[in-house]
Amino acid sequence: LEEAAFQLQQIFRIDISIAFNILGIESMRAGHYKAAYTCFKLAADRGYSKAQFNVGLCYEHGRGTEKDLEKAAFYYYNAASNCHPMAQYRYARCLLCHRPENEWDSLQKAVTFLEQAAMAGITEAQAYLGVFYLRGLQPKEKKGLKYLLLAAKNGDSQSRYHVGICYEKGLGVQQDLAEAMRHYRQSAAAGNRNAQQRVQA
């Protein structure tokens, strides 16, 4: 009986968190940013990862509360630790943009979260990792191309353009100008100006 009561409490906590998060989303859409932040915060403090992510967004963009990148990173980290893919991407970006120079642990943690987000299908993380691996201090061209291809398949025209560069220059793949042109054309058709210029060149 105690176990059943405990399970009911857990379900109630989750349902309340979901309800607060939905109220927050509706408030945000209506332009009531302070009310949205309050709802997100109530759900986040109960451990609901979607709300933790939304509180992070509020702090990052100064919506409904003061802009505070440290607090944004804190809430992104909580959501990321609960396997929220977009929070994993955002937290990794916070680490990469605001870490002290040459802090290896932060870099490794950021890459781990980026890879988790990329494998969960977050296009932004795939694109970021693709460029990161191609341009790193010790480039891993095959790994970079792998992530760029994932992002390109998800419709990211900039990543498609970068795939074209890989084929044109033989980065992580056998050089193939016809394949490079195919990727440039697809990227150009999606409106990418760099690709349009490359096709003309």
Side-chain angles (χ1 to χ4, degrees):
L1 194 60
E2 280 181 28
E3 178 65 24
F6 176 75
Q7 292 296 332
L8 278 172
Q9 280 182 322
Q10 293 300 102
I11 291 166
F12 181 70
R13 268 185 67 204
I14 292 167
D15 285 348
I16 286 289
S17 300
I18 292 169
F20 277 133
N21 193 57
I22 291 168
L23 278 172
I25 291 167
E26 293 303 317
S27 297
M28 190 63 74
R29 284 186 184 141
H32 306 301
Y33 301 135
K34 283 192 176 187
Y37 166 77
T38 301
C39 290
F40 292 145
K41 184 92 168 51
L42 285 167
D45 290 345
R46 288 176 164 79
Y48 188 52
S49 64
K50 289 181 181 180
Q52 290 166 338
F53 172 72
N54 288 330
V55 171
L57 286 174
C58 288
Y59 278 120
E60 184 178 358
H61 300 290
R63 291 249 172 119
T65 187
E66 293 282 317
K67 190 172 185 173
D68 188 327
L69 296 180
E70 279 187 33
K71 286 183 180 176
F74 172 78
Y75 280 97
Y76 287 149
Y77 174 73
N78 286 336
S81 297
N82 287 320
C83 301
H84 188 289
M86 187 53 90
Q88 291 169 335
Y89 167 69
R90 293 271 187 171
Y91 180 65
R93 290 291 306 268
C94 288
L95 285 176
L96 292 171
C97 295
H98 305 293
R99 71 186 165 90
E101 279 298 307
N102 300 322
E103 190 177 298
W104 183 249
D105 288 346
S106 289
L107 178 65
Q108 286 301 103
K109 190 188 276 188
V111 170
T112 299
F113 276 122
L114 279 172
E115 287 183 340
Q116 289 171 358
M119 295 321 290
I122 302 298
T123 304
E124 295 91 331
Q126 295 164 344
Y128 195 97
L129 272 175
V131 174
F132 175 82
Y133 281 125
L134 283 175
R135 295 185 181 166
L137 293 173
Q138 298 172 324
K140 297 177 181 171
E141 294 168 351
K142 284 187 177 181
K143 212 168 187 181
L145 178 61
K146 170 189 146 183
Y147 284 111
L148 288 173
L149 281 167
L150 286 172
K153 284 177 187 167
N154 283 332
D156 184 50
S157 68
Q158 185 66 16
S159 291
R160 179 74 63 192
Y161 165 71
H162 285 297
V163 169
I165 291 173
C166 289
Y167 276 100
E168 182 180 358
K169 297 185 176 181
L171 302 173
V173 71
Q174 183 81 33
Q175 187 179 31
D176 185 336
L177 297 181
E179 188 66 9
M181 185 58 87
R182 188 176 75 78
H183 288 284
Y184 287 144
R185 283 195 177 118
Q186 286 180 7
S187 180
N192 186 289
R193 287 188 182 170
N194 292 326
Q196 290 165 354
Q197 290 169 358
R198 205 75 202 103
V199 167
Q200 290 172 352

